[in-house]
Amino acid sequence: MTDEPSVPTDYAKTLFDLTGRVAVITGAGSGLGAAMAIGYAQVGVDVVLADINMDGMKATRATVAEQGGKAEIQKLDVTDRAACFALADKVAASRGRVDILVNSAGSAFRSPAEEFPEEKFNFILDLNLKGTYFCCQAFGGKMLSQGKGSIINIASIGSFTAYPWASAYLASKGGVLQVTKALALEWRDRGVRVNGIGPTLMESPLTKAAGQKTSITADWIKARMLRPRLGLPRELIGTAIFLASDASELVTGHIVMCDDGYMTQ
């Protein structure tokens, strides 16, 4: 590829081709992580599923297999920095490289701010923010050694705006936004791009577990939606493919919003 301002023959044909690339997806046992893992496998990506949810990962792997793909399961607690680095070493040794990292592991807890339990605040910050950062460090280091890679952090509409009973979650996702920008700034000249996806309120096990579908938090968000429906995990796959591919070569340090227009208001 040259730097000439022309369009080479067949240039566009391979922009979205991810065949044979290696992707690690955290939180791949359910919800958004599972959907993106399945989507990557459908386009020929060598998928490594990482989660503490072994049963969930087995279900994701089974779906990948049913559709003709392959996926490997690796148990990972993303809040354990040493474990993140150990898995990065293992994947790099067995696959020879790590091309894509999707940081989808996360959780939420709903409580008015004045009553928010300290242990829940710590849990949310540790999982959503520190877990994302540790995986970026571990797998990003492999990408820096390669001189190329794409990291995709799962942010949120809550990275940019507030809603009630979600102060810890908002703090964590605001932090994910800033980590994404900071790492993009530091790593772009060494070949590694760092971006994020900002979903709207999604139909997923996390939203159900947090009670969002009938909660003060969910009611607040749904009242401000342009359309009265939650997002579906599969609706993030296209953006995940774009950000992992050469089609997004000039995109780094951004959160690509998949919010159905929520942030236009």
Side-chain angles (χ1 to χ4, degrees):
M1 190 66 64
T2 70
D3 291 330
E4 292 296 321
S6 61
V7 182
T9 302
D10 294 333
Y11 170 76
K13 287 186 177 180
T14 61
L15 283 179
F16 293 93
D17 185 7
L18 297 177
T19 306
R21 297 195 189 182
V22 178
V24 176
I25 301 96
T26 73
S30 65
L32 311 186
M36 287 181 284
I38 293 165
Y40 278 144
Q42 288 179 355
V43 295
V45 175
D46 183 358
V47 174
V48 178
L49 313 175
D51 205 325
I52 60 171
N53 180 1
M54 291 298 293
D55 289 340
M57 284 196 292
K58 288 176 183 177
T60 302
R61 182 177 62 182
T63 299
V64 169
E66 288 168 5
Q67 297 179 1
K70 293 182 179 180
E72 174 187 342
I73 288 176
Q74 291 291 339
K75 188 171 185 179
L76 176 67
D77 176 357
V78 298
T79 68
D80 183 340
R81 186 175 184 271
C84 295
F85 276 80
L87 181 57
D89 288 341
K90 184 175 183 178
V91 173
S94 63
R95 299 301 200 283
R97 60 188 300 106
V98 182
D99 301 295
I100 304 158
L101 169 67
V102 179
N103 282 308
S104 187
S107 189
F109 183 81
R110 303 308 180 208
S111 171
E114 69 274 16
E115 299 173 7
F116 212 100
E118 181 180 1
E119 68 276 10
K120 291 295 185 181
F121 187 89
N122 290 338
F123 171 73
I124 297 301
L125 267 290
D126 284 349
L127 179 56
N128 295 4
L129 182 54
K130 288 173 66 175
T132 293
Y133 191 74
F134 291 161
C135 287
C136 284
Q137 286 184 310
F139 292 95
K142 302 301 181 185
M143 295 176 181
L144 290 168
S145 297
Q146 298 163 185
K148 186 176 177 64
S150 177
I151 295 174
I152 302 164
N153 298 324
I154 301 304
S156 168
I157 55 174
S159 298
F160 300 91
T161 191
Y163 32 82
W165 286 37
S167 51
Y169 183 82
L170 297 173
S172 71
K173 292 302 183 177
V176 168
L177 165 64
Q178 289 298 91
V179 163
T180 299
K181 290 184 174 183
L183 300 185
L185 178 68
E186 291 191 33
W187 293 351
R188 171 67 279 197
D189 65 343
R190 289 185 279 169
V192 178
R193 297 184 297 109
V194 187
N195 290 291
I197 297 175
T200 183
L201 188 64
M202 302 294 288
E203 187 72 61
S204 74
L206 173 60
T207 60
K208 293 175 182 177
Q212 291 180 357
K213 295 188 73 174
T214 56
S215 74
I216 289 174
T217 304
D219 291 345
W220 174 281
I221 295 171
K222 288 190 285 187
R224 290 157 178 79
M225 286 178 164
L226 302 187
R227 296 191 299 168
R229 80 165 179 85
L230 276 62
L232 301 174
R234 67 171 180 263
E235 292 176 308
L236 303 187
I237 292 173
T239 304
I241 290 173
F242 167 68
L243 290 175
S245 73
D246 293 343
S248 57
E249 179 60 29
L250 288 183
V251 182
T252 194
H254 293 283
I255 306 298
V256 179
M257 300 306 294
C258 295
D259 65 346
D260 207 25
Y262 190 92
M263 294 304 298
T264 62
Q265 303 172 79

